[in-house]
């Protein structure tokens, strides 16, 4: 899913089929048209009335949201909207002013769940160690599993470049990262979902 100010991803919440239970309707934009993310078959499981209303898939695909779910229902739905999906940092510019800075593309390949600040290259600038992944997505999304531990080196002025953890690979769904000390040396403990805990030391980095 991609989102922007002009074409946000939206979540409508309402009782669209008047059965006494409210449904969630996720939408996004394709070629300037707002459409449901769920397929016709998925929506029909929640709202069987759609099957009778739109017998053919081509009719369903060409219909606007107001035709599918009713103009009044759409207008009076509880609505959440998102227009920025990039993994990013907020740069503190002082006086309670923050600038949003998207991370490099190497840090956009999955969803991150936690991170710690460190000085990996001993230059006095705060670097970032990130980890995440999420497997429990539906089939259309696919699971987010492209992260094996991401080290970002601070180049100053809000710029980060991908570093390297050398031969160390973090597999699985990391949910938390914590700072610990082993024999007086810094280390990091990583808690993974339905998996063993990892303890790592970041000894080297690469540009």
């Amino acid at each position: 899913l991609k989102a922007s100010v002009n074409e946000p991803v939206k979540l409508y919440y309402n009782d669209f089929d008047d059965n006494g239970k409210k449904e969630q309707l996720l939408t996004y934009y394709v070629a300037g048209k707002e459409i449901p993310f769920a397929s016709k078959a998925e929506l029909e499981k929640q709202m069987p009335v759609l099957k009778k209303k739109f017998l053919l898939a081509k009719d369903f695909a060409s219909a606007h949201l107001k035709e599918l779910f009713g103009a009044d229902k759409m207008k009076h739905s509880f609505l959440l909207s998102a227009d920025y999906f990039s993994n990013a940092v907020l740069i503190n510019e002082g006086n309670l002013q923050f600038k949003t800075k998207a991370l490099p593309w190497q840090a956009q390949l999955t969803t991150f769940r936690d991170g710690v600040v460190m000085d990996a290259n001993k230059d006095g600038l705060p670097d970032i160690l990130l980890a995440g992944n999420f497997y429990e997505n539906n089939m259309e999304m696919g699971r987010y599993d492209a992260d094996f531990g991401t080290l970002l080196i601070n180049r100053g002025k809000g710029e980060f470049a991908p570093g390297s953890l050398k031969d160390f690979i973090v597999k699985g769904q990391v949910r938390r990262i914590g700072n610990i000390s082993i024999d007086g040396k810094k280390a990091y403990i990583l808690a993974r979902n339905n998996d063993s805990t990892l303890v790592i030391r970041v000894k080297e980095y690469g540009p």
Side-chain angles (χ1 to χ4, degrees):
L1 293 174
K2 295 182 179 181
S4 67
V5 173
N6 294 327
E7 296 187 345
V9 170
K10 299 178 182 179
L11 181 67
Y12 298 87
Y13 184 59
N14 205 342
D15 182 5
F16 293 102
D17 56 357
D18 294 315
N19 68 346
K21 297 181 180 179
K22 292 186 176 181
E23 294 86 24
Q24 299 172 18
L25 175 64
L26 184 69
T27 69
Y28 68 120
Y29 284 82
V30 174
K33 179 183 178 181
E34 186 182 6
I35 64 173
F37 174 76
S39 67
K40 182 175 183 290
E42 285 183 307
L43 288 170
E44 287 173 352
K45 292 177 183 179
Q46 281 191 309
M47 295 171 269
V49 66
L50 290 175
K51 191 171 185 179
K52 298 178 181 179
K53 191 175 181 181
F54 297 92
L55 297 176
L56 300 179
K58 66 176 183 178
D59 295 332
F60 177 88
S62 62
H64 292 277
L65 289 176
K66 293 180 180 180
E67 297 175 294
L68 291 171
F69 306 103
D72 188 65
K73 291 289 186 181
M74 297 300 297
K75 181 179 179 180
H76 294 96
S77 294
F78 178 75
L79 176 63
L80 295 172
S81 180
D83 59 25
Y84 191 90
F85 281 168
S86 296
N87 292 323
V89 293
L90 298 179
I91 306 298
N92 189 346
E93 297 184 321
N95 298 318
L96 299 179
Q97 299 297 311
F98 293 84
K99 180 176 71 174
T100 303
K101 179 74 174 181
L103 295 175
W105 70 264
Q106 292 90 343
Q108 304 293 344
L109 303 178
T110 191
T111 174
F112 293 108
R113 309 311 291 267
D114 205 0
V116 291
V117 174
M118 62 171 65
D119 187 0
N121 56 349
K122 312 301 180 185
D123 64 354
L125 297 176
D127 308 313
I128 306 173
L129 174 65
L130 296 169
N133 292 331
F134 185 77
Y135 294 171
E136 284 74 40
N137 280 333
N138 60 17
M139 186 180 299
E140 286 77 11
M141 286 282 195
R143 71 182 200 173
Y144 303 145
D145 59 1
D147 180 68
F148 298 97
T150 296
L151 178 63
L152 297 175
I153 303 299
N154 193 333
R155 298 304 186 195
K157 298 182 180 181
E159 298 294 331
F160 288 86
S164 172
L165 295 176
K166 299 301 182 184
D167 297 327
F168 194 84
I169 295 178
V170 179
K171 295 183 178 180
Q173 303 178 81
V174 177
R175 293 292 181 264
R176 293 289 185 271
I177 305 177
N179 296 285
I180 61 173
S181 178
I182 301 177
D183 295 331
K185 297 181 179 180
K186 289 184 178 180
Y188 305 91
I189 184 167
L190 286 72
R192 297 182 294 176
N193 188 50
N194 293 326
D195 206 336
S196 58
T197 301
L198 293 177
V199 175
I200 67 172
R201 287 176 176 168
V202 180
K203 297 181 179 180
E204 298 180 275
Y205 84 97

